[in-house]
């Protein structure tokens, strides 16, 4: 097989959570361009329909549900499988963040964040992995963050969840690898997404970014796409249990 053919996703079916905009949408577009039918998910049906319309070739559809509702996630996976007869790729991309001092969080707020950022990914991966196991093929991908291996004052809960995802990714790599299912993660750094519009325009944050990121710029959302396609395709078929960092070198700069 020619090397470029190994990036083809023709005939594959993918689910990308949090794909109405930002990094999720860019990853979904990459998978669709490579030939996959991509199911975009999020809480806003209107945003998802606009996102689906932005993907050329009609290789996308929408499934609106809140990943924090574990029953809704299980039903969405079951419906996708029933509609398409397979599920080859799951990208767990949803992540909620609340930057506040640790003591400011109530128990309920902590649990809500962990439910959205970690437990939802565990539940979706469990349901998807069993389908992939029966197929003898699958790609489980979780979007973590470089903050999972770092620390910053006033941002305690998000790194906890992201480090938990790293543990999940590696555990699933060991458990499902024998069945042809790989499990990997993408750890983004500082990207200029819609969610980060405020901080990416803040002069203090721009100065911080230029000091910490060797490339001295924000990541462009489309620059996450190649990592997702590599891990989702046969080009990355022997990569398992790996966290692929996409941060312009931020995490290696002292």
């Amino acid at each position: 097989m020619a090397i470029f053919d190994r990036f083809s996703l023709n005939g594959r079916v993918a689910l990308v959570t949090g794909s109405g905009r930002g990094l999720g949408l860019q990853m979904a577009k990459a998978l669709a361009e490579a030939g996959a039918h991509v199911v975009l998910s999020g809480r806003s049906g209107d945003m998802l329909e606009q996102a689906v319309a932005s993907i050329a070739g009609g290789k996308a559809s929408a499934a609106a549900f809140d990943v924090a509702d574990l029953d809704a996630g299980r039903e969405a996976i079951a419906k996708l499988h029933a509609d398409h007869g397979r599920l080859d790729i799951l990208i767990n991309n949803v992540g909620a963040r609340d930057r506040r001092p640790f003591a400011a969080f109530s128990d309920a707020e902590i649990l809500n964040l962990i439910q959205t950022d970690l437990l939802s990914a565990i539940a979706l991966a469990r349901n998807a992995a069993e389908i992939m196991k029966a197929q003898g093929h699958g790609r489980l991908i979780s979007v973590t963050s470089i903050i999972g291996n770092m620390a910053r004052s006033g941002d305690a809960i998000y790194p906890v969840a992201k480090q938990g995802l790293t543990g999940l990714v590696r555990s699933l790599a060991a458990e499902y690898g024998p069945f042809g299912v790989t499990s990997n993660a993408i750890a983004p750094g500082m990207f200029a997404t819609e969610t980060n519009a405020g901080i990416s325009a803040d002069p203090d944050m721009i100065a911080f970014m230029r000091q910490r990121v060797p490339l001295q710029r924000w990541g462009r959302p489309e620059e996450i796409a190649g990592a997702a396609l590599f891990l989702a395709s046969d080009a990355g078929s022997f990569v398992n249990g790996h966290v692929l960092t996409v941060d312009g070198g931020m995490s290696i700069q002292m």
Side-chain angles (χ1 to χ4, degrees), residues 8 11 19-20 32 40 59 69 99 109 131 135-138 150 161-162 171 173 182 189 191 196-197 203 244 253:
S8 172
S19 49
L40 283 65
K59 292 185 176 181
D69 183 339
R99 296 179 175 89
E109 288 171 332
I131 293 172
Q135 293 172 172
H137 173 274
M150 303 168 76
K162 292 302 184 180
S171 296
T182 64
F191 275 79
N196 291 333
L244 177 54
Q253 173 127 301

Side-chain angles (χ1 to χ4, degrees), residues 164-179:
L165 273 180
T166 299
L168 172 69
V169 161
R170 289 173 174 160
S171 296
L172 296 183
E175 184 165 344
Y176 286 91
F179 304 100

Side-chain angles (χ1 to χ4, degrees), residues 133-152:
K133 175 182 176 180
Q135 293 172 172
H137 173 274
R139 301 285 184 262
L140 299 168
I141 303 170
S142 287
V143 178
T144 60
S145 170
I146 60 171
I147 199 65
N149 288 321
M150 303 168 76
R152 191 176 182 189

Side-chain angles (χ1 to χ4, degrees), residues 42-54:
R43 291 180 296 181
S44 171
D46 291 340
M47 181 183 293
L48 287 177
E49 290 302 333
Q50 293 176 17
V52 167
S54 73

